[in-house]
Amino acid sequence: LPISNLVIASVIMMSLTLFLAGCRKTPELAHPTTIKDLMKSIVDPSGEFLFASIRETSDARGVSRQEPKTDAEWDQVRHHATVLLEAPNLITMEGRKVARPGQHSPNPLIEKEPDEVQRLIDAERAEFLRRAVRLQDAASAVLQAADAKDAGALFKAIERVDKACESCHLHYWYPND
């Protein structure tokens, strides 16, 4: 009989613990990084690396093509594609703000003010998430091209990255550009 009381007490305690754990609110971001911070520190550098990783140049000597050739170069492409694959998860986190309080656009004639962008994102949350998934899909195509070491596929995938970025930027940030 004492063992069954112990089992019942253990079941009650476990149930209470699980119930209370389920009642917790989603925690606020402890040290909130803004969308602008994430763009400047991880998205832009990775995008710029990818855009520079493959290109064709035409001059008096003809057309030359730069593309990854070594395993190390393909690994770098893969690294930056992985950043772009995961960055939308950070950018779209619930509670993530566009900019720090009081931060303003460096060029308000072209770029919307951060509070305008924030209102638009908040009003169209599902659309914002859909655009973020486009970047993830494009980054996934870059990863596949890198894994296959396929420069042609890489070129096409990077075009998709560019379109995904511009689609979001033109809608939220600088529609007058």
Side-chain angles (χ1 to χ4, degrees):
L1 190 64
I3 291 177
S4 64
N5 287 341
L6 184 58
V7 169
I8 291 171
S10 295
V11 168
I12 291 171
M13 289 300 289
M14 286 178 19
S15 298
L16 184 58
T17 301
L18 289 172
F19 172 76
L20 291 174
C23 292
R24 283 188 280 163
K25 286 177 57 177
T26 303
E28 293 287 321
L29 296 172
H31 300 285
T33 301
T34 68
I35 291 174
K36 285 183 83 101
D37 293 334
L38 291 169
M39 293 297 295
K40 185 176 182 178
S41 63
I42 64 173
V43 175
D44 292 347
S46 286
E48 291 302 320
F49 178 89
L50 291 176
F51 299 143
S53 71
I54 188 165
R55 62 179 170 256
E56 287 184 346
T57 308
S58 183
D59 59 22
R61 291 175 285 171
V63 177
S64 63
R65 186 170 177 150
Q66 177 186 325
E67 59 191 43
K69 290 182 178 49
T70 67
D71 287 347
E73 290 170 337
W74 283 108
D75 285 345
Q76 285 288 49
V77 168
R78 189 170 213 301
H79 164 80
H80 290 283
T82 301
V83 170
L84 293 185
L85 182 69
E86 289 300 326
N89 294 330
L90 294 171
I91 289 168
T92 61
M93 283 180 72
E94 195 67 41
R96 177 85 61 208
K97 298 296 181 195
V98 167
R100 290 182 294 280
Q103 192 172 11
H104 294 284
S105 168
N107 191 347
L109 296 176
I110 295 174
E111 184 178 284
K112 289 181 182 179
E113 289 293 340
D115 60 337
E116 287 181 85
V117 177
Q118 187 71 57
R119 282 192 300 274
L120 188 55
I121 288 172
D122 291 345
E124 308 179 343
R125 183 91 179 135
E127 177 65 17
F128 182 63
L129 295 173
R130 188 177 65 77
R131 289 175 192 268
V133 168
R134 274 194 207 150
L135 177 56
Q136 289 177 312
D137 291 345
S140 180
V142 173
L143 282 174
Q144 290 172 3
D147 289 344
K149 296 183 171 113
D150 183 339
L154 177 62
F155 189 80
K156 289 177 185 170
I158 289 173
E159 284 180 337
R160 287 181 59 192
V161 168
D162 185 48
K163 287 179 182 175
C165 292
E166 285 303 308
S167 168
C168 193
H169 295 168
L170 288 172
H171 185 75
Y172 293 104
W173 295 97
Y174 43 83
N176 300 323
D177 189 12

